[in-house]
Amino acid sequence: MDTTATTILIFGASGDLTRRKLIPALFNSYRKGRLPEQFHIVGFARRPWDDDEFRELLREGMLEFDPEAFTAEKWAEFVLHITYFQGNLDTPADYADLPDYLAKLENGPVNRLYYLATAPEFFIPIVQNLGTADMVGEADGWRRLVVEKPFGHDLQSAQELNRAIHAVFAERQVYRIDHYLGKETAQNILYFRFANTIFEPVWNRNYVDNVQITVTESVDVGRRAGYYDQAGVMRDMFQNHLLQLMSLIAMEPPTSFAADAVRNEKAKLLQAIRPLPLSDTVRAQYAGYLQAEGVADGSQTPTYAALKLHINNWRWQGVPFYLRSGKALARKNTELVVVFQKPPHLMFDAIADTDFSSNVLSICIQPDEGIHLRFEAKAPDSTRTDSVDMEFHYKSAFKGNSLPDAYERLLLDALRGDASLYTRSDSIEAAWRLIDPVIQGWEQDPEAPPMVTYDPGSWGPAEAEKLLQRDDCAWVLGCMEHADS
Ligand code: BG6
């Protein structure tokens, strides 16, 4: 690793993300000896705190969000690297003292990671202020920018944000976060597909009947209604997480694991998704959403959606990809399911008329991380077949290796200069190109499917079941069926 000192400057450091995710991730990397030998973490925010108050807040955050990793001894060492700088994110004058403040702390050449952990309206002002304060030049060490989601509210605002960033930073300096890509199990999709030989030959239209991506959450909008009511499930989950998962499961093999080789294939895949008719969409809101504090009267914001997508390429022609996600559902569960075609000819008379199950491969992203392959076996002492399961659970296969939080991996990658798990501007724009017309259609097209309501704690509206029934299919919850109890 580069031995130059490194400063991680977190904008919006008084917010929840810093306490909940960033500091626990950095602390874990520190105790594993993975941070650069010399480093500083500087929190930039408006509140009139001093270093000690800021550090105390972070300590409480550690105890609340990652108590198992916390040890007073390690923390006492770690916290000495943390300081606080008070300033308004969008006041250029408040950046005037920042270079001197940092120079005193750093005392020599330094690499710097600027992390935008703020509300999105501050992204452009911060970037411009960094430019004006002359904090982007790399004569003294690298300068990188990590941008949190949401990256834009629609295609136009995403393009504006990209332009504003590129006016100050080169694309190679920019790291756009999608924390789903940092999940171990999401990273494993590429390993599963391309570190093995037996799956890829059947990973196409000749063998696959349909692919399903389910991302359900049991939590409702909670205290985030102010943000959520403006975003809705399409912007909050589909534009980023679900489409990124889809690109991993469907992309062509890259020639190498280098950031651009991987990201070229992902962008190609997203660009090949066919614009979808509104008739292939379902939108829904959970009962009680309208009563949540911060939700506009009569809000038409969907908290659930299901989509049927097609990819215009040789590999996937004719194979539907069904995606669904929502809040206030029965359980938290993220899985990708590949449903294979049924055998072309059934020679087993006794079962010819029964519902012969397809082979199903389920990739469980969370919470019971693993992979399952369902296949048919002869039930003993009968001519029947039964569905059985070959299974892999992280918990039992990698005993003693707990799965690191996505932010731990992503922050380390940004420090190492590896952008493979970060989203490039072309992918972000391709995703908006697909999602924007759906949101607009729902809002403006009288022919759009109406908003339906679902019960909190259910698996979503009946309309989502019908979307698949139309194609003689059904949603599969392969991971839940085989949860490791
Ligand atoms: C965030 C969304 O990006 O992802 C939240 O804004 C959502 O609404 C969260 O709850 C889900 O992330 P995870 O890692 O808990 O599945």
Side-chain angles (χ1 to χ4, degrees):
M1 183 178 267
D2 183 352
T3 52
T4 315
T6 301
T7 296
I8 300 159
L9 177 53
I10 304 174
F11 292 95
S14 55
D16 212 36
L17 184 73
T18 307
R19 291 175 341 119
R20 184 187 286 270
K21 293 290 183 189
L22 304 185
I23 292 299
L26 289 168
F27 179 67
N28 276 307
S29 295
Y30 174 72
R31 69 181 181 86
K32 294 177 188 169
R34 293 181 180 164
L35 288 188
E37 213 165 292
Q38 289 182 55
F39 70 96
H40 301 280
I41 299 171
V42 179
F44 182 125
R46 196 168 34 92
R47 309 268 176 92
W49 291 333
D50 60 20
D51 291 349
D52 287 340
E53 283 167 299
F54 182 52
R55 289 170 176 177
E56 178 53 20
L57 190 94
L58 301 181
R59 192 183 69 89
E60 286 163 14
M62 267 311 296
L63 291 174
E64 184 177 348
F65 299 115
D66 198 0
E68 277 147 39
F70 185 86
T71 64
E73 201 189 350
K74 269 282 164 212
W75 180 260
E77 285 169 31
F78 177 71
V79 81
L80 297 176
H81 296 262
I82 303 179
T83 59
Y84 183 75
F85 182 90
Q86 190 197 349
N88 278 318
L89 299 165
D90 50 358
T91 308
D94 288 3
Y95 289 69
D97 294 338
L98 190 56
D100 276 353
Y101 170 87
L102 293 175
K104 264 194 213 122
L105 201 67
E106 293 159 344
N107 200 20
V110 74
N111 298 319
R112 287 207 197 122
L113 188 73
Y114 302 128
Y115 198 111
L116 306 188
T118 67
E121 63 265 30
F122 293 112
F123 292 171
I124 293 182
I126 296 170
V127 166
Q128 288 171 341
N129 287 333
L130 286 171
T132 312
D134 209 8
M135 293 176 62
V136 178
E138 296 193 302
D140 237 10
W142 53 251
R143 301 289 180 266
R144 294 181 190 141
L145 180 76
V146 180
V147 189
E148 260 297 332
K149 63 163 286 231
F151 199 92
H153 187 72
D154 52 18
L155 176 61
Q156 198 192 338
S157 54
Q159 286 172 329
E160 277 162 20
L161 180 52
N162 273 327
R163 270 196 296 275
I165 291 174
H166 289 150
V168 178
F169 288 90
E171 175 66 20
R172 64 173 171 75
Q173 294 174 285
V174 185
Y175 292 70
R176 298 170 192 79
I177 264 208
D178 183 318
H179 77 280
Y180 266 58
L181 298 178
K183 290 181 190 282
E184 276 291 331
T185 42
Q187 293 175 49
N188 189 47
I189 297 172
L190 293 191
Y191 283 75
F192 178 77
R193 289 186 57 196
F194 303 131
N196 296 296
T197 48
I198 60 173
F199 305 110
E200 210 47 31
V202 295
W203 213 258
N204 55 49
R205 65 190 300 274
N206 298 325
Y207 293 94
V208 174
D209 184 82
N210 69 85
V211 179
Q212 306 181 8
I213 303 180
T214 292
V215 184
T216 54
E217 294 189 273
S218 53
V219 292
D220 59 19
V221 292
R223 290 185 297 138
R224 296 170 73 224
Y227 148 76
Y228 193 88
D229 202 40
Q230 300 295 315
V233 70
M234 292 296 277
R235 295 187 178 96
D236 189 52
M237 298 296 290
F238 279 78
Q239 187 274 340
N240 38 59
H241 310 322
L242 275 91
L243 287 179
Q244 287 298 322
L245 290 176
M246 179 165 165
S247 69
L248 292 175
I249 195 104
M251 69 194 247
E252 294 301 316
T255 47
S256 81
F257 210 34
D260 269 332
V262 174
R263 299 193 303 174
N264 287 343
E265 293 307 332
K266 286 173 61 183
K268 251 167 61 186
L269 190 281
L270 290 171
Q271 286 156 2
I273 301 176
R274 197 190 300 164
L276 65 164
L278 292 177
S279 53
D280 284 349
T281 69
V282 173
R283 58 174 166 153
Q285 206 178 60
Y286 63 82
Y289 174 73
L290 291 175
Q291 282 74 54
E293 205 183 318
V295 170
D297 286 347
S299 164
Q300 285 291 299
T301 299
T303 61
Y304 177 100
L307 309 180
K308 173 179 160 183
L309 298 173
H310 280 282
I311 299 170
N312 276 338
N313 66 15
W314 275 53
R315 185 190 284 262
W316 295 117
Q317 198 56 231
V319 178
F321 281 68
Y322 301 107
L323 275 54
R324 63 175 168 169
S325 179
K327 292 218 182 275
L329 294 167
R331 249 191 69 170
K332 183 171 179 72
N333 182 46
T334 303
E335 64 178 77
L336 294 92
V337 170
V338 180
V339 180
F340 290 92
Q341 292 171 16
K342 297 202 166 145
H345 168 66
L346 288 176
M347 61 175 187
F348 307 107
D349 287 344
I351 54 157
D353 295 321
T354 62
D355 187 17
F356 194 78
S357 300
S358 307
N359 296 142
V360 172
L361 179 88
S362 308
I363 302 180
C364 313
I365 302 294
Q366 59 186 16
D368 182 26
E369 295 85 357
I371 296 179
H372 305 268
L373 180 62
R374 184 176 84 188
F375 62 97
E376 295 301 294
K378 178 181 176 301
D381 204 17
S382 98
T383 50
R384 245 176 348 101
T385 67
D386 261 354
S387 298
V388 293
D389 187 39
M390 271 190 210
E391 48 189 312
F392 148 58
H393 295 274
Y394 277 76
K395 234 185 282 169
S396 41
F398 297 112
K399 281 194 194 74
N401 279 358
S402 62
L403 295 178
D405 187 76
Y407 276 90
E408 197 178 320
R409 169 66 196 255
L410 291 171
L411 275 162
L412 277 181
D413 279 2
L415 291 171
R416 290 187 190 124
D418 180 352
S420 352
L421 300 178
Y422 285 86
T423 327
R424 217 170 47 188
S425 53
D426 50 357
S427 277
I428 297 227
E429 293 183 10
W432 278 122
R433 256 184 212 104
L434 195 74
I435 296 297
D436 262 4
V438 175
I439 298 176
Q440 278 161 20
W442 283 347
E443 287 168 358
Q444 293 159 16
D445 189 337
E447 306 280 296
M451 177 77 80
V452 291
T453 306
Y454 61 99
D455 290 330
S458 70
W459 281 110
E463 281 70 7
E465 308 298 327
K466 289 185 202 140
L467 182 71
L468 273 68
Q469 280 160 10
R470 271 183 357 205
D471 301 343
D472 269 339
C473 286
W475 292 103
V476 179
L477 282 172
C479 298
M480 298 229 352
E481 280 169 18
H482 303 288
D484 190 14
S485 44

